[in-house]
Amino acid sequence: DSVSEGFHYYSLLIDGVAVADPASETFYGMGRMASGIEIPFAGGDYYSTKNVPHGDIRIKRYFSRNTFSWRQFYIYTPPGYDSATADKFPVLYLLHGGGEDERGWATQGKTDLILDNLIADKKAVPMLVVMMDGNFYGSGGGIAGFGEPALKSFENELKENVMPFVDKNFRTKTDANNRALAGLSMGGLQTLYAGLKNTDLFSYLGVFSSGWWANQPALSDPQYAFMKEHSTNINSNLKSFWVAMGGPEDIAYQNCKIMLGRFDEMGVKYKYSEYPGGHTWPVWRNNLYNFAQVLFK
């Protein structure tokens, strides 16, 4: 089949073994280093490199008291961050999917270029974007072993290590109105889990290509029970609960539709949108482009 717009992973098959193409750059996806191909298209201007002020992507290492290990996150600082020393900025915590890590949004996702262009066009406010490692199980990516313990480990890491480190080392606005949490696929589940339990910390939630697994009620039912009990607070605290999918071809589409039906039953307010392309980075880039425009306004 033809390959759709934007970025896609690919492999070479040699004697039945999938390997990275030595003539390509490699990207961490599918739980390993993989090759990537970028398909240009007429609508890709929003993440092209333009003659506008550019921010930075920085790498910060920190020691996690939860995992007893050194971890790192990538952080986007908007244009002029270093010179505007009196200014403080809102923060978007942006999460990757299964089989990926903190590098995903910074490289495959084109986060810096998307934000640079939006800020230059005054469609988004200058913000910090923290891209942390969401893997808290086993020794690699993917969703093997993913469940409530992994979700709780993520929530603890976010609240007890990453957020305090960011607030201490960067000029942040620390109230809920100036914090957002969003993620794709596995990161969307992490957003649902940690974001809805902490609407006192986040006023904006973005769920991209994700939804509670309909065939795992032991995981999803407690989440729905919590939402039903706290639906009034969720609706009043969240300025935007933004859910996006890659159309019917997205592997998370049916789970998401079932989940949104449960939201409707309990009266939880959300905004839903679709961008065709399935479970792929072109969709998630577009999700970030649109979600960033509603933040902190």
Side-chain angles (χ1 to χ4, degrees):
D1 294 337
S2 61
V3 181
S4 63
E5 66 188 49
F7 178 89
H8 298 272
Y9 300 115
Y10 77 95
S11 301
L12 299 183
L13 294 176
I14 301 177
D15 294 337
V17 179
V19 299
D21 180 355
S24 166
E25 289 190 56
T26 54
F27 306 84
Y28 186 72
M30 305 185 293
R32 64 174 175 85
M33 298 305 293
S35 300
I37 185 171
E38 186 79 36
I39 308 299
F41 75 111
D45 182 66
Y46 67 91
Y47 57 77
S48 63
T49 304
K50 301 179 182 179
N51 186 21
V52 299
H54 291 283
D56 297 328
I57 287 186
R58 311 178 187 193
I59 303 173
K60 298 298 291 185
R61 300 185 188 275
Y62 70 96
F63 187 79
S64 168
R65 298 288 178 184
N66 292 350
T67 64
F68 295 99
S69 64
W70 285 95
R71 299 177 70 89
Q72 69 178 22
F73 60 81
Y74 282 44
I75 183 168
Y76 167 81
T77 56
Y81 175 83
D82 289 329
S83 58
T85 56
D87 294 343
K88 294 184 177 182
F89 297 86
V91 187
L92 164 62
Y93 291 85
L94 188 60
L95 311 173
H96 60 82
E100 298 164 344
D101 64 12
E102 69 276 10
R103 293 169 286 186
W105 276 109
T107 52
Q108 295 95 298
K110 304 282 189 183
T111 292
D112 58 328
L113 295 177
I114 292 172
L115 268 296
D116 288 343
N117 293 335
L118 284 174
I119 293 170
D121 289 341
K122 300 189 183 305
K123 294 180 178 179
V125 302
M127 69 184 77
L128 299 165
V129 183
V130 177
M131 296 158 274
M132 62 178 283
D133 181 5
N135 295 307
F136 291 94
Y137 44 91
S139 59
I143 57 173
F146 185 78
E148 180 94 20
L151 287 165
K152 188 61 179 176
S153 294
F154 163 78
E155 181 187 12
N156 291 341
E157 185 72 7
L158 176 66
K159 292 169 60 178
E160 298 171 10
N161 288 297
V162 176
M163 290 172 59
F165 185 92
V166 170
D167 289 340
K168 179 179 179 180
N169 290 277
F170 293 87
R171 301 192 308 279
T172 63
K173 295 181 178 179
T174 58
D175 60 299
N177 288 337
N178 286 287
R179 283 204 198 102
L181 181 66
L184 69 92
S185 195
M186 181 185 79
L189 295 180
Q190 292 169 329
T191 297
L192 288 166
Y193 184 86
L196 291 170
K197 284 181 168 62
N198 294 279
T199 57
D200 59 325
L201 299 177
F202 303 98
S203 287
Y204 302 85
L205 300 180
V207 178
F208 310 156
S209 291
S210 193
W212 290 117
W213 297 324
N215 63 352
Q216 293 195 23
L219 174 63
S220 61
D221 283 355
Q223 318 309 324
Y224 292 135
F226 176 89
M227 292 184 66
K228 184 176 182 179
E229 181 181 354
H230 298 89
S231 59
T232 300
N233 283 341
I234 290 172
N235 286 336
S236 61
N237 289 349
L238 291 181
K239 293 181 179 298
S240 179
F241 187 11
W242 205 83
V243 181
M245 293 295 298
E249 65 269 32
D250 195 318
I251 62 173
Y253 187 79
Q254 290 303 321
N255 282 333
C256 183
K257 283 296 187 182
I258 293 170
M259 179 183 72
L260 295 182
R262 298 290 297 270
F263 289 178
D264 291 338
E265 290 174 4
M266 62 183 77
V268 171
K269 299 176 183 178
Y270 61 88
K271 180 179 180 181
Y272 178 77
S273 69
E274 286 186 14
Y275 182 82
H279 207 72
T280 61
W281 274 107
V283 172
W284 305 325
R285 289 175 178 176
N286 188 268
N287 293 162
L288 175 60
Y289 170 76
N290 286 292
F291 184 59
Q293 297 184 58
V294 307
L295 297 179
F296 316 127
K297 295 182 178 179

